[in-house]
Amino acid sequence: MGVFLGTHENRFDAKGRVSIPAGFRSVLRSQQTEGDAMMILRPSHTLPCVEAWPASAFARLTEPLDRLNMFSDDHDDLAAALYADAYPMEPDREGRIILPDFLREHAGLTQSPLAAFMGLGRIFQIWEPEAARARREEARQRSRRVSIPAPGRSDPNGEPA
């Protein structure tokens, strides 16, 4: 199974289309199931970017909804957060997509001539390029404090790994 690697900047064309990096398209195709969209785009919950999920990974993300009472406020809130602003997307033959206006606004891409595609392994994010640089720097700094427990050991909070 492929993963999304690297950060790539691509230019919006005159029609507002932007090309998904070829390597990212290859990963998306390898994970696509017949009948499903190639990817699901949605605004990040916490960051000013657009998340791009292979449809199969997005389906796994939404599985916890099945454990909630479907008539509860918690279910309705989570369903709205996950689905209401999610957009199934198929690139054209040249690998280009048009980001919905809402997503461009969320990511600060309305005036930017470029978009930065940032690989995060199982998903990728679409950023305004300067914001992407700042996010990568912040992540590098913060990641220095992260320690991953060895298999079979407890994590720093005392929970079994």
Side-chain angles (χ1 to χ4, degrees):
M1 175 175 108
V3 295
F4 301 103
L5 298 172
T7 300
H8 314 270
E9 289 185 10
N10 286 335
R11 184 169 294 285
F12 286 98
D13 69 13
K15 294 182 180 179
R17 300 173 297 195
V18 64
S19 293
I20 297 170
F24 288 14
R25 290 194 312 265
S26 177
V27 173
L28 287 166
R29 277 192 298 275
S30 75
Q31 295 183 25
Q32 188 174 21
T33 304
E34 188 175 335
D36 284 342
M38 184 175 274
M39 67 184 141
I40 309 296
L41 299 179
R42 62 179 306 280
S44 169
H45 274 348
T46 58
L47 299 168
C49 66
V50 176
E51 295 176 348
W53 292 76
S56 58
F58 186 77
R60 287 189 303 276
L61 170 72
T62 63
E63 285 175 1
L65 276 173
D66 295 336
R67 294 192 299 270
L68 295 173
N69 176 338
M70 70 179 296
F71 299 107
S72 70
D73 288 342
D74 288 345
H75 180 279
D76 288 351
D77 291 345
L78 188 55
L82 292 174
Y83 293 118
D85 295 324
Y87 297 87
M89 192 66 57
E90 290 289 335
D92 67 12
R93 279 181 272 142
E94 286 78 35
R96 298 171 301 196
I97 58 171
I98 295 177
L99 293 173
D101 289 342
F102 168 76
L103 294 178
R104 279 189 82 163
E105 290 169 12
H106 177 79
L109 289 166
T110 55
Q111 302 300 315
S112 180
L114 297 170
F117 292 79
M118 192 162 56
L120 298 180
R122 64 187 169 134
I123 71 167
F124 64 91
Q125 295 173 330
I126 306 170
W127 288 81
E128 185 282 322
E130 194 53 45
R133 280 188 276 286
R135 171 64 183 131
R136 288 192 318 274
E137 179 58 31
E138 174 192 34
R140 279 191 292 274
Q141 294 297 323
R142 289 175 46 183
S143 70
R144 292 181 178 133
R145 297 186 303 264
V146 175
S147 63
I148 299 173
R153 299 201 179 183
S154 295
D155 72 12
N157 297 324
E159 298 294 324

